[in-house]
Every structure is written in structure tokens, then in C-alpha cells.
Amino acid sequence: MKRSVDRSAVAAAAYRSGERLTNEWDGRTHDYTHKPGIVHKEIMLPAHAPPEFQDRSTLWNSMEQIEKASDAQLAREIEVALPAELSRTEQLALVRSFVKDNFVVEGMCADFALHDKGDGNPHAHILLTIRPLKADGRWGLKCRKVYDLDGQGNRIPNGKGGWTNHREDTTDWNNRDNAEKWRAAWAAYANRALEAAGRPERIDHRSYERQGIDKIPSIHMGVAASQLERKGIQTEKREKYQQEHSAELAAFDTAADFLKRLKESGEKLTPKVWRAEAAKLTAQKDFDYQKMREMRDESKAVESLRKTADRLAREGQHQQRETER
């Protein structure tokens, strides 16, 4: 999830947990308290994480605030299909063990939610932090500068008075090989849970081709989509579309909830009223955004003054010690 594609960790957490959360980075409130099908939500933290991160708003706003860049990566999401053959208690135990052993022990904070609308597609959304935590509970660096060395182990001049260098990730969490590793781990954990429940079903994270099976894979569909197929109406797999347009879908859900409440209140809805309301909200958004930028600039100026004052104080103390000598 990156800001460069208008994604927000706070918005994602609100949508998946069915809560109302405000993103302190941009001031936008995301209300999904009317979202159906959320049967469980939980935050799991490494031992050295601040206890206040058990609060969903605190956790994800902390992540939003520490990331300053407009194209910053804010979080990672993993979605897993839950075996429908397992009970809710068994599904929850499965997700907890998978999250703990594969992410939390590595130092990630995990916020997961179980969704089940009764359509035969129970699944879990797992939101993960992508910035490591220091031993004292503060956010660490995602990458660091490393100087290039020659054959004798000496730094290499860059011709501009400095040294050639490159950046290295401080963790391997962004390694592309992790996708295969986590998929294999989920298959192993799910199969153990199915075996413990006395079920004969098993899953395999590999494609039919990789398994050496000459068979065309089926597309998982919900109950409604299956009924449409039986009526001869072709439907397309929705997962890819949902991933590519999650921000638009979240905005649609918010708008739909708003319109539903207006309708229930008995207020008359006309295009003229909509346009006036849209213009009003747009103007307010622009005003609030400008104020936010001014406050951010003021905060930077205050921080700069504080650092200057600290430096002058240290220099003054140093000069005083020199004088006393």
C-alpha cells in the first residue's frame, strides 16, 4: 500500500475492521461501521512493540506519521482464503498461529480481520507494518546508506568530495521470494489444521502445472456468481479488480452509506443538492488541506529553531568549560 497510488494504511485498517478511523496525516475520516460480514478483528504485536499499538488508530496513524514521503510504502496486505470445512474457532486459531509464526516473530505488527458474509467465501485480511521497530519500541529505518569499498576495503571517492554509496534494506521483508514462502507456509498451516479437525481435504499453493497435473484450474466464485453461471451469464473473477481498484471501491462504499442515511432521513435528493454539497465539501477540503500544509510548515520551522537552540546551548556549555579550564 503506497501513497503514490492514493492508498492509506488507516483507510485500509478501517475498511477491514469495520471501524471509523481518522487519518491524522491528511485529516480524512474513514467510516465503515456499517460494513457487514466482519466476524473477528485482532492486533498481534512483537514483544518490544509499544502496548498502545493495540489501539488500531494509534498503530496505523503512527505508521502514517513516520512516513514523510508522498510515495511512501505504508503497509502490506496478505489475504488468505479460510477452509470452509473448519469451524470459526478453528479458523481463528489457524490465522493466529500463521500470523504469529510468520510475521510477528519477525518483528512486524499485524492487524487481521476475518470476513464471512455466508456466501461460501470466508477469508482473512492481514495488514502488516513494513518498517522495523527498535528494541525501545520506536520505529527504525527501512533502509540505510552503505559506502562502496574497493579491493582494499577503502571507500571509493565519487569525484564530488564525497564517497560512492548505495542503499540497503534493513530487513528482508520486501524480498519478492517471500510471496512463495508465505504461500507455502499458509498451505502447510491450513493442512495441519484440516488434519487436526479430522478432515480429508488438503490444499496446495502450487499451480496445477507445477504439480504436474494436466487440468484447467477452476475460478473460485461466491454463491451469487455461481448462480449466474448456472443461468448462462458469464462472470469474471473479482479479486484482481478489487485489488486494482480498492481505493475507488472503498470510496464507493462510503458514498453508498452516506446516501443510504440520507434516504432513511427522508431528505429529498436532487442533482442540484448533490452538486451544491459536492462544491461545498470540495471547498472545505481545499481549505483544510491548505491549513494542514501551513501547520506542517510551522512545525518544521519550530523543529528547526529547537535544533538550533540545542546546538547553541551545547556550544555555550563547551565554551564555558573551556573558559573554566
Side-chain angles (χ1 to χ4, degrees), residues 189-206:
Y189 277 64
N191 287 335
R192 283 202 297 269
L194 287 165
E195 182 179 8
R199 300 291 309 191
E201 298 86 358
R202 297 292 183 270
I203 67 173
D204 195 313
H205 70 288
R206 300 170 299 168

Side-chain angles (χ1 to χ4, degrees), residues 67-81:
E67 300 294 350
K68 307 300 183 184
S70 60
D71 61 347
Q73 182 184 4
L74 301 167
R76 172 178 290 106
E77 180 185 31
I78 292 178
E79 184 177 347
V80 293

Side-chain angles (χ1 to χ4, degrees), residues 42-45 50-59 110:
E42 183 175 331
I43 292 176
M44 300 181 70
L45 303 174
E52 55 266 29
F53 279 3
Q54 282 291 345
D55 176 73
R56 188 162 282 105
S57 177
T58 301
L59 170 61

Side-chain angles (χ1 to χ4, degrees), residues 108-119:
M108 304 179 209
C109 300
D111 183 1
F112 72 86
L114 272 57
H115 291 188
D116 189 353
K117 295 182 180 180
D119 57 1

Side-chain angles (χ1 to χ4, degrees), residues 71-314:
D71 61 347
Q73 182 184 4
L74 301 167
R76 172 178 290 106
E77 180 185 31
I78 292 178
E79 184 177 347
V80 293
L82 300 173
E85 297 80 7
L86 299 178
S87 68
R88 180 74 71 232
T89 300
E90 292 167 338
Q91 291 173 345
L92 179 55
L94 165 60
V95 175
R96 278 178 176 154
S97 62
F98 174 69
V99 170
K100 176 179 179 294
D101 296 343
N102 289 274
F103 308 118
V104 178
V105 295
E106 295 293 329
M108 304 179 209
C109 300
D111 183 1
F112 72 86
L114 272 57
H115 291 188
D116 189 353
K117 295 182 180 180
D119 57 1
N121 181 34
H123 57 280
H125 295 272
I126 307 167
L127 283 179
L128 302 167
T129 53
I130 45 81
R131 180 179 285 263
L133 282 167
K134 298 179 181 179
D136 60 4
R138 295 184 299 166
W139 292 115
L141 298 174
K142 289 191 290 188
C143 62
R144 57 174 171 261
K145 181 169 68 175
V146 178
Y147 291 104
D148 301 323
L149 304 177
D150 59 22
Q152 286 72 45
N154 300 315
R155 293 182 182 179
I156 303 173
N158 62 8
K160 301 178 182 179
W163 312 96
T164 63
N165 61 81
H166 63 279
R167 292 191 176 276
E168 289 184 356
D169 290 339
T170 55
T171 69
D172 64 351
W173 300 347
N174 270 338
N175 190 324
R176 291 186 178 274
D177 294 337
N178 284 335
E180 175 75 6
K181 181 179 72 173
W182 292 333
R183 284 167 59 87
W186 175 252
Y189 277 64
N191 287 335
R192 283 202 297 269
L194 287 165
E195 182 179 8
R199 300 291 309 191
E201 298 86 358
R202 297 292 183 270
I203 67 173
D204 195 313
H205 70 288
R206 300 170 299 168
S207 65
Y208 283 152
E209 181 180 3
R210 290 173 59 190
Q211 296 178 58
I213 299 176
D214 185 15
K215 182 180 178 181
I216 298 177
S218 61
I219 297 175
H220 178 74
M221 296 182 293
V223 175
S226 299
Q227 291 173 346
L228 290 175
E229 283 289 333
R230 287 195 292 271
K231 293 179 181 179
I233 301 174
Q234 293 296 319
T235 59
E236 297 180 353
K237 188 175 180 180
R238 296 176 298 173
E239 284 79 1
K240 183 177 180 181
Y241 182 88
Q242 290 173 335
Q243 291 174 0
E244 294 176 349
H245 301 278
S246 58
E248 295 94 326
L249 291 171
F252 175 83
D253 286 342
T254 301
D257 288 341
F258 176 72
L259 290 174
K260 181 181 179 182
R261 291 194 296 271
L262 279 179
K263 185 177 179 180
E264 292 173 348
S265 69
E267 183 176 343
K268 187 177 180 181
L269 302 177
T270 66
K272 183 177 180 180
V273 172
W274 295 346
R275 285 192 289 269
E277 182 69 14
K280 177 183 177 181
L281 292 174
T282 299
Q284 184 63 45
K285 176 183 73 72
D286 293 341
F287 176 79
D288 291 342
Y289 181 71
Q290 182 60 35
K291 294 293 293 182
M292 181 189 70
R293 292 187 61 179
E294 293 174 359
M295 292 175 63
R296 191 177 299 166
D297 291 341
E298 291 175 359
S299 297
K300 290 180 180 178
V302 171
E303 180 65 15
S304 178
L305 288 173
R306 185 189 66 78
K307 291 181 179 179
T308 301
D310 290 344
R311 177 175 58 79
L312 291 174
R314 289 194 299 270

